[in-house]
Amino acid sequence: KQEVTQIPAALSVPEGENLVLNCSFTDSAIYNLQWFRQDPGKGLTSLLLIQSSQREQTSGRLNASLDKSSGRSTLYIAASQPGDSATYLCAVYPQGGSEKLVFGKGTKLTVNP
Amino acid sequence: GAGVSQSPSNKVTEKGKDVELRCDPISGHTALYWYRQSLGQGLEFLIYFQGNSAPDKSGLPSDRFSAERTGGSVSTLTIQRTQQEDSAVYLCASNRGMRGEQYFGPGTRLTVT
């Protein structure tokens, strides 16, 4: 059974710092991986989707990498801003026929001005 | 374009009553998902619809939960005889299928008193 873990559960950094959020999954046989952010009381906003054949994806100040063999993905946020404060979730589509995303519990990021 | 919409945004109901939650996916998206997010927990998959195929109901926690999707578009999640443990945020997502990028609605916060 695929399990997704995100450590740490919470992270607090000063504004301007570059930071890395971690995601690990137990079964390396994944179809793709998606990163989301969730603001308090809101739904999830898709940030990046990495296909299993890709090693990274970039969008603005965000860069997500994928290492399937080690079961890890990282989300790099450059020059963090208070507006980046949110919970960040990663999720994987397992290989095979499953259409269900398996989610981690998220990392709650606070960027202090 | 319009994103995924859900209604109501908040619902307070008494234990034992039935509730209906509605999801309107992005136009043209053939796949629709329901998830549940309880306080301090990760996202829990409930049910998945893809086109005209039989839905994947494997995540529904009990037979009090049911969902339908009419005309391949709007979906309704029904919870009968609500219990306090049903209190959670219910999230809907849609995509073009084929394990593509999922787009989420803002959620319905259900409180059972």
Side-chain angles (χ1 to χ4, degrees):
Chain A
K1 178 186 172 185
Q2 178 71 269
E3 293 183 356
V4 178
T5 303
Q6 293 185 249
I7 296 173
L11 180 64
S12 181
V13 301
E15 181 177 3
E17 191 162 298
N18 302 324
L19 61 99
V20 172
L21 304 180
N22 297 297
C23 171
S24 61
F25 41 95
T26 53
D27 187 344
S28 63
I30 64 168
Y31 187 80
N32 61 34
L33 183 146
Q34 194 168 354
W35 281 95
F36 299 88
R37 70 173 277 169
Q38 185 174 30
D39 295 281
K42 308 277 183 160
L44 277 67
T45 300
S46 178
L47 297 174
L48 291 162
L49 180 138
I50 310 178
Q51 302 282 356
S52 62
S53 58
Q54 297 175 314
R55 292 195 62 85
E56 65 179 279
Q57 278 278 17
T58 298
S59 176
R61 294 182 295 107
L62 305 180
N63 177 277
S65 68
L66 175 62
D67 184 344
K68 277 180 54 178
S69 61
S70 66
R72 292 181 183 176
S73 177
T74 60
L75 180 67
Y76 175 83
I77 303 177
S80 58
Q81 303 170 358
D84 295 330
S85 298
T87 295
Y88 290 80
L89 297 129
C90 75
V92 301
Y93 279 114
Q95 278 284 8
S98 177
E99 295 278 342
K100 296 177 280 192
L101 276 172
V102 178
F103 282 85
K105 293 189 177 182
T107 294
K108 183 177 180 181
L109 173 66
T110 303
V111 181
N112 300 300
Chain B
V4 178
S5 60
Q6 293 186 245
S7 61
S9 55
N10 281 285
K11 177 72 176 179
V12 180
T13 190
E14 293 180 352
K15 177 182 173 181
K17 295 285 180 70
D18 297 351
V19 295
E20 287 189 351
L21 313 180
R22 176 188 167 107
C23 173
D24 203 337
I26 292 173
S27 177
H29 281 189
T30 58
L32 186 148
Y33 306 76
W34 283 98
Y35 297 90
R36 180 168 70 174
Q37 188 175 36
S38 303
L39 192 62
Q41 302 297 314
L43 267 78
E44 175 188 9
F45 165 82
L46 297 177
I47 188 169
Y48 159 69
F49 296 90
Q50 169 59 49
N52 295 321
S53 302
D56 178 346
K57 305 179 183 180
S58 60
L60 295 179
S62 78
D63 58 9
R64 295 186 296 105
F65 288 72
S66 63
E68 63 177 19
R69 189 178 184 193
T70 53
S73 181
V74 172
S75 177
T76 302
L77 177 70
T78 301
I79 308 173
Q80 295 179 310
R81 305 181 302 282
T82 52
Q83 304 294 313
Q84 288 188 329
E85 60 262 29
D86 300 333
S87 295
V89 176
Y90 290 81
L91 293 162
C92 174
S94 70
N95 68 11
R96 296 186 184 277
M98 299 302 293
R99 288 172 278 182
E101 191 170 1
Q102 287 193 23
Y103 297 88
F104 279 74
T108 294
R109 180 174 297 279
L110 175 65
T111 304
V112 182
T113 62

